Amino acid sequence: MIQRDIAYRVRAIESLSPTLKRIVLESATGDPLPVGAAGAHIALTLKCGDRILRNSYSLIAPSDGTGRYELIVRRTDPSRGGSHFVHDELTVGAVLAGYVPHNLFPSFSHARKHLLIGGGVGITPLLAHLAALRREGARVELHQLAAAEEVALFTQLLAPWAGDDVQVHGGREGLDLEALLSRQPLGTHVYVCGPAALMDRVEGMAVALGWPDGRIHRESFGASGGEPFTVRLARSGGEVRVGPDESMLQALENAGVAAPSLCRGGACGECLTRVLEGEPEHRDHYLTAEEKASGQFVMPCVSRAHSDMLVLDL
Ligand code: FES
């Protein structure tokens, strides 16, 4: 049977700044942790008061036999509760339920060069990629965009790989994206993680400059926003409003609905849910084109709705 659930113990917590904490996890049972390749994330179950949240966090270092996973969590305001729990209540020794790592953001070994672009805490999976690619001797360049007050912090995090091809851009200095993408050799793959606006900008600019789709990669787990809509639960009779900045899955979990999930990125099929009425907006990589066209199924971890209301078999 494929292992999916893991009990993690918090081995260390380090305050990097007033809003960023580095968390080190180990197995709570003593069993070895599965490999967590660069780009992978884990989902953790967090008890916030009387609510249960499942949040996904990228591993900041490849974990192949180290027996631990490292994350960085930013305290956000407003928060669904998860980041405040991690910052205010989580202590060393605490045990958290979670899932095994999933990798929806891998690097491509055939790339001639890897261009990594991060924004804020979106640097987390790129730190793992940078470490792995440098270890492999691959050609890699990283640009991190940061608020002026966080330039020093990100520069310090990137210090082990310091050089001309690792740069932090802060405050008003910005980054000439068009020039950066234009000067890359043919065969380069670009990987971006950060605020949706940054990922949209990088993707849009790369497409406009003629980069093939298969060479543009963005981190895709977690909430991806859109127009709000309402989910009606056919079996229980309830209704859940999905806000513009949360996923359907998050809204269901916040409302106490026991919705299944695993990868939380539209890849594994675990959250497959039957649609009884309404028009889904498919954003997953799991359903076939025919299944999407039928409108009979939706993956709530990433997909949304074109209609104001979706009636689900939940
Ligand atoms: S949880 Fe994996 S596809 Fe939704």
Side-chain angles (χ1 to χ4, degrees):
M1 197 171 102
I2 297 172
Q3 181 190 14
R4 50 166 286 171
D5 299 307
I6 292 188
Y8 294 108
R9 178 179 289 107
V10 179
R11 176 184 170 128
I13 299 176
E14 179 189 4
S15 223
L16 301 174
S17 78
T19 58
L20 291 175
K21 279 195 171 169
R22 178 171 157 271
I23 311 291
V24 182
L25 300 174
E26 62 187 4
S27 167
T29 60
D31 295 331
L33 292 178
V35 167
H41 70 273
I42 57 171
L44 294 177
T45 302
L46 307 174
K47 287 187 181 159
C48 307
D50 54 1
R51 291 187 310 146
I52 304 284
L53 299 178
R54 275 186 202 92
N55 284 7
S56 297
Y57 300 101
S58 295
L59 306 183
I60 64 168
S63 170
D64 38 10
T66 60
R68 60 182 194 228
Y69 297 150
E70 297 182 36
L71 326 167
I72 292 178
V73 179
R74 183 188 285 285
R75 182 186 179 95
T76 56
D77 284 305
S79 160
R80 291 194 305 128
S83 77
H84 283 197
F85 172 81
V86 170
H87 274 257
D88 300 337
E89 295 179 45
L90 193 64
T91 53
V92 171
V95 173
L96 298 171
Y99 295 155
V100 296
H102 276 80
N103 200 344
L104 304 172
F105 193 48
S107 64
F108 289 77
S109 57
H110 56 271
R112 180 179 292 182
K113 179 181 172 185
H114 305 268
L115 176 63
L116 314 178
I117 301 176
V121 77
I123 195 173
T124 48
L126 304 182
L127 287 170
H129 278 307
L130 187 58
L133 292 167
R134 279 287 181 86
R135 198 169 57 195
E136 293 163 12
R139 194 171 168 198
V140 57
E141 179 176 345
L142 180 143
H143 294 266
Q144 167 70 5
L145 296 159
E149 62 274 17
E150 290 192 329
V151 168
L153 171 63
F154 289 120
T155 302
Q156 190 184 340
L157 282 174
L158 290 163
W161 305 281
D164 290 346
D165 49 8
V166 173
Q167 295 181 18
V168 179
H169 308 264
R172 292 169 176 274
E173 183 192 340
L175 171 66
D176 186 342
L177 203 51
E178 184 171 2
L180 176 67
L181 291 169
S182 298
R183 70 167 182 257
Q184 299 305 318
L186 275 179
T188 300
H189 283 233
V190 61
Y191 310 79
V192 57
C193 184
L198 172 67
M199 295 195 289
D200 289 346
R201 223 176 102 227
V202 171
E203 189 172 13
M205 180 68 74
V207 168
L209 290 170
W211 285 54
D213 278 354
R215 293 190 187 154
I216 307 166
H217 314 284
R218 55 191 283 172
E219 176 58 285
S220 59
F221 71 78
S224 70
E227 292 297 314
F229 60 100
T230 299
V231 172
R232 181 174 296 156
L233 308 168
R235 279 189 253 159
S236 63
E239 284 192 0
V240 175
R241 188 74 177 154
V242 182
D245 298 318
E246 62 182 348
S247 70
M248 194 181 343
L249 179 62
Q250 288 170 338
L252 291 168
E253 289 174 345
N254 287 347
V257 179
S261 70
L262 186 55
C263 75
R264 305 174 75 86
C268 73
E270 182 77 11
C271 67
L272 179 77
T273 303
R274 184 173 284 279
V275 177
L276 303 177
E277 278 178 47
E279 185 186 354
E281 178 195 345
H282 298 290
R283 298 183 179 182
D284 64 275
H285 311 289
Y286 179 79
L287 294 174
T288 64
E290 291 75 29
E291 287 169 332
K292 287 178 180 172
S294 77
Q296 292 182 3
F297 302 99
V298 71
M299 316 306 293
C301 63
V302 290
S303 296
R304 302 184 67 84
H306 285 305
S307 50
D308 288 339
M309 169 81 74
L310 271 191
V311 182
L312 300 183
D313 186 21
L314 282 175

